[in-house]
């Protein structure tokens, strides 16, 4: 079977910061279930990149667009290294739609085809295959992203920051990125 499980440690920090907006390093370590030294090191890296402000251990994201742009750069490298399994499936509540597939769920594009979907285990992608489905790049992802999933009608989408990062990493929909970014940030990221 094709390797389809992306490294998630760094992305857990991105997700937690996107969802929380701010927090202490110790809180991020607890929420992400990652060792404090690793989280602290990543926070220092994000601070050097200029996408967060770390004031005596209290971290916040002052510019969410710059933050998601850096996240997308990391995501692009992940997508280059870890190839998703191309599977035709009908989106349902057991998967997380992301990137352009999430834009379909919110009515911004006509088809989820070519988008990203996440499942908990690789074999789930094979069980969900359907000839009538849409070809999606499917990745097995740990449960962390599923905790922050958003309900959109009968579908579930990845956390909005991840949707935006995946969208940019896919290298498409620049105009739609701006529109969705404004909607998401305007609604507080929910």
């Amino acid at each position: 079977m094709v390797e389809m499980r992306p490294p998630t440690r760094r992305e857990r920090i991105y997700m937690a910061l996107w969802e929380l907006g701010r927090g202490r390093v110790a809180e991020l370590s607890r929420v992400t279930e990652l060792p404090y030294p690793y989280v602290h090191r990543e926070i220092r890296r994000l601070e050097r990149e200029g996408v967060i402000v770390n004031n005596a251990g209290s971290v916040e994201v002052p510019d969410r667009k710059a933050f998601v742009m850096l996240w997308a750069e990391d995501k692009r490298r992940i997508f280059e290294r870890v190839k998703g399994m191309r599977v035709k499936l009908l989106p349902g509540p057991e998967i997380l739609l992301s990137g352009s597939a999430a834009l379909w769920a919110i009515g911004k594009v006509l088809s989820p085809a070519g988008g990203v979907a996440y499942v908990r285990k690789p074999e789930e992608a094979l069980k969900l295959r359907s000839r009538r489905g849409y070809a999606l790049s499917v990745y097995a992802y740990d449960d962390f992203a599923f905790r922050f999933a958003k309900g959109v009608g009968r579908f579930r989408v990845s956390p909005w920051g991840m949707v935006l990062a995946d969208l940019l990493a896919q290298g498409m929909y620049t105009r739609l990125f701006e529109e969705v970014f404004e909607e998401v940030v305007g609604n507080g990221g929910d």
Side-chain angles (χ1 to χ4, degrees):
M1 178 176 279
V2 175
E3 170 61 39
M4 56 184 269
R5 183 173 292 281
T8 60
R9 288 169 45 114
R10 181 178 282 177
E11 198 158 29
R12 281 179 174 222
I13 296 168
Y14 283 120
M15 270 186 264
L17 282 169
W18 180 272
E19 292 295 316
L20 300 173
R22 66 178 51 195
R24 302 205 51 82
V25 175
E27 177 186 15
L28 292 170
S29 176
R30 182 186 54 74
V31 168
T32 60
E33 300 170 347
L34 295 170
Y36 181 91
Y38 176 79
V39 174
H40 187 264
R41 209 171 29 256
E42 284 300 308
I43 292 301
R44 286 189 12 221
R45 180 187 68 83
L46 293 172
E47 188 177 21
R48 280 191 307 275
E49 294 285 346
V51 297
I52 65 165
V53 173
N54 182 359
N55 186 11
S58 182
V59 179
E60 73 178 273
V61 180
D63 182 349
R64 288 167 75 87
K65 188 176 280 184
F67 181 78
V68 82
M69 295 290 191
L70 182 64
W71 187 351
E73 284 178 34
D74 280 347
K75 202 62 185 247
R76 193 172 295 119
R77 283 190 291 274
I78 290 170
F79 286 162
E80 287 171 0
R81 269 192 1 244
V82 180
K83 299 298 179 199
M85 180 188 302
R86 278 307 254 193
V87 178
K88 275 185 141 184
L89 53 85
L90 289 171
E94 55 281 311
I95 66 169
L96 294 183
L97 298 176
S98 196
S100 58
L103 294 187
W104 170 75
I106 62 174
K108 298 287 183 190
V109 296
L110 296 175
S111 169
V116 175
Y118 295 106
V119 294
R120 286 184 171 94
K121 295 184 174 146
E123 47 281 359
E124 285 181 42
L126 299 175
K127 287 181 199 171
L128 296 169
R129 279 191 298 203
S130 169
R131 275 187 226 159
R132 299 174 316 154
Y134 302 95
L136 299 172
S137 293
V138 181
Y139 297 87
Y141 210 90
D142 70 14
D143 194 50
F144 193 75
F146 288 82
R147 291 184 212 163
F148 293 111
K150 308 296 182 203
V152 176
R154 64 184 179 92
F155 304 110
R156 293 174 70 205
V157 298
S158 299
W160 288 116
M162 188 174 187
V163 167
L164 293 166
D166 286 351
L167 189 63
L168 289 172
Q170 286 182 278
M172 57 183 77
Y173 298 107
T174 304
R175 179 187 56 80
L176 285 173
F177 168 81
E178 293 292 335
E179 186 179 318
V180 173
F181 179 85
E182 294 304 321
E183 284 180 32
V184 168
V185 172
N187 291 330
D190 294 331

